[in-house]
């Protein structure tokens, strides 16, 4: 068979493949699904920074420089597209032609995920208030206490039926002015013994306005690692998660308090 004919057959065969088999790959230098999958399971800021460094840090720096010079307001989702359109498009993987719909709540409804039954003291939404970093320079288990960065807002929701949702919000300080993504991972909770908790991630999405367009980036084909922790509840409203191992990295969450109702206008 001649090479030209072989090439034609390969092209025809490729066109006949289902869309899933031709899913776009993450390109070096572009922020895409690989980065968001990595971010989706992060709790501390250093982990998020590492996810963003792998492939797309330089392109985001160029984008942030452009939106800053253009004086884009943080809440102006169209400014990046109008003033820095090409730079913005080059920083992110193109959105799928037929994006999937946002998953409203993977822990509710007939298809809700179910893991190990969760004790009442763990049920609820927890907001990260502090995290520790291993003292890698000394090579020992000492920890440097750090406060969570405001541009990485993180929360963990646990349901009675053993479903969890971990949310990380990336704002303009990370993605350039006018772009925001909420990166979510969800899955099943596994409890063993009195103080061992595992988060087994099964799926996720990254949602929000990017380059003037609403994005829904599916993470279902990503390689999730999940996380194993020991946990403790302090004073009923503080959840402490500790990573087993030499570093004993620790995360402290505070129970989310219901927002006070807005005062009604006086007649």
């Amino acid at each position: 068979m001649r090479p030209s004919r072989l090439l034609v057959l390969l092209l025809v065969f490729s066109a006949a493949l289902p869309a899933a088999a031709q899913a776009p790959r993450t390109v070096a230098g572009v922020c895409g699904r690989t980065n968001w999958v990595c971010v989706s399971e992060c709790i501390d800021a250093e982990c998020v920074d590492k996810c963003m460094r792998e492939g797309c840090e330089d392109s985001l720096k160029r984008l942030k420089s452009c939106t800053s010079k253009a004086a884009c307001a943080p809440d102006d989702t169209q400014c990046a597209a109008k003033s820095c359109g090409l730079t913005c498009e080059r920083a992110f993987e193109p959105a799928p032609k037929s994006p999937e719909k946002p998953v409203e709540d993977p822990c509710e409804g007939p298809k809700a995920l179910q893991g190990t039954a969760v004790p009442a003291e763990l049920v609820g939404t927890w907001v990260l208030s502090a995290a520790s970093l291993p003292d890698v320079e000394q090579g020992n288990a000492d920890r440097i206490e750090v406060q969570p960065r405001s541009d990485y807002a993180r929360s963990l929701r646990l349901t009675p039926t053993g479903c969890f949702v971990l949310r990380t919000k990336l704002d303009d300080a990370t993605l350039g002015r006018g772009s925001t993504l909420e990166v979510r991972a969800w899955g099943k909770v596994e409890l063993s013994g009195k103080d061992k908790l595992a988060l087994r991630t099964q799926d996720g999405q990254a949602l929000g306005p990017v380059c003037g367009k609403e994005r829904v980036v599916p993470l279902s084909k990503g390689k999730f690692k999940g996380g194993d922790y020991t946990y403790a509840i302090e004073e009923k409203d503080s959840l402490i998660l500790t990573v087993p191992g030499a570093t004993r990295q620790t995360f402290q969450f505070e129970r989310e308090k219901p927002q006070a109702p807005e005062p009604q206008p006086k007649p």
Side-chain angles (χ1 to χ4, degrees):
M1 185 180 294
R2 295 180 180 179
S4 58
R5 186 178 178 186
L6 176 61
L7 178 59
V8 170
L9 288 176
L10 287 174
L11 290 173
V12 172
F13 177 72
S14 175
L17 288 174
Q22 303 183 62
R25 297 179 180 179
T26 299
V27 181
V30 177
C31 292
R33 184 170 60 202
T34 298
N35 302 96
W36 312 135
V37 167
C38 181
V39 169
S40 72
E41 294 189 294
C42 285
I43 297 180
D44 63 286
E46 177 62 26
C47 174
V48 176
D49 283 337
K50 183 179 179 181
C51 294
M52 304 307 289
R53 281 197 300 268
E54 295 180 354
C56 66
E57 183 179 38
D58 291 339
S59 60
L60 286 181
K61 285 182 179 179
R62 289 190 289 270
L63 175 58
K64 286 188 286 185
S65 175
C66 182
T67 56
S68 179
K69 291 179 181 178
C72 293
D75 58 349
D76 186 349
T77 59
Q78 298 301 315
C79 182
K82 293 178 180 178
S83 304
C84 310
L86 186 58
T87 303
C88 196
E89 292 293 340
R90 286 176 175 174
F92 299 96
E93 264 186 350
K97 292 183 178 180
S98 299
E100 63 181 50
K101 295 180 180 179
V103 175
E104 296 297 332
D105 192 341
C107 295
E108 298 291 340
K111 296 183 180 180
L113 298 172
Q114 294 188 12
T116 307
V118 172
E121 64 177 0
L122 282 173
V123 173
T125 300
W126 303 86
V127 180
L128 187 71
S129 60
S132 68
L133 294 176
D135 187 356
V136 293
E137 292 183 1
Q138 298 297 324
N140 54 39
D142 291 342
R143 297 191 300 276
I144 305 170
E145 296 296 329
V146 295
Q147 292 297 319
R149 284 168 43 174
S150 59
D151 53 326
Y152 297 153
R154 281 144 291 165
S155 67
L156 173 64
R157 178 186 170 212
L158 301 170
T159 71
T161 56
C163 179
F164 79 87
V165 180
L166 180 63
R167 301 172 184 264
T168 300
K169 188 173 183 180
L170 307 178
D171 65 12
D172 57 284
T174 304
L175 304 178
R177 295 180 184 179
S179 294
T180 303
L181 279 176
E182 182 183 80
V183 185
R184 302 183 298 161
W186 57 78
K188 297 179 180 181
V189 181
E190 293 180 3
L191 296 175
S192 58
K194 294 183 178 180
D195 64 347
K196 291 182 174 58
L197 180 151
L199 304 177
R200 302 302 181 206
T201 309
Q202 296 193 347
D203 204 346
Q205 287 182 329
L207 309 93
V210 175
C211 301
K213 301 176 183 177
E214 288 292 331
R215 304 287 183 94
V216 180
V217 182
L219 307 182
S220 57
K221 296 180 182 178
K223 297 181 179 180
F224 297 108
K225 298 178 180 179
D228 294 271
Y229 310 93
T230 58
Y231 75 89
I233 301 290
E234 296 184 356
E235 299 180 356
K236 296 184 179 181
D237 289 326
S238 292
L239 170 63
I240 310 298
L241 297 183
T242 305
V243 180
T247 64
R248 302 285 294 170
Q249 189 172 14
T250 302
F251 309 107
Q252 179 173 333
F253 294 81
E254 302 299 326
R255 189 182 296 278
E256 184 178 63
K257 298 179 180 179
Q259 295 181 350
E262 296 183 4
Q264 296 295 323
K266 296 181 179 179

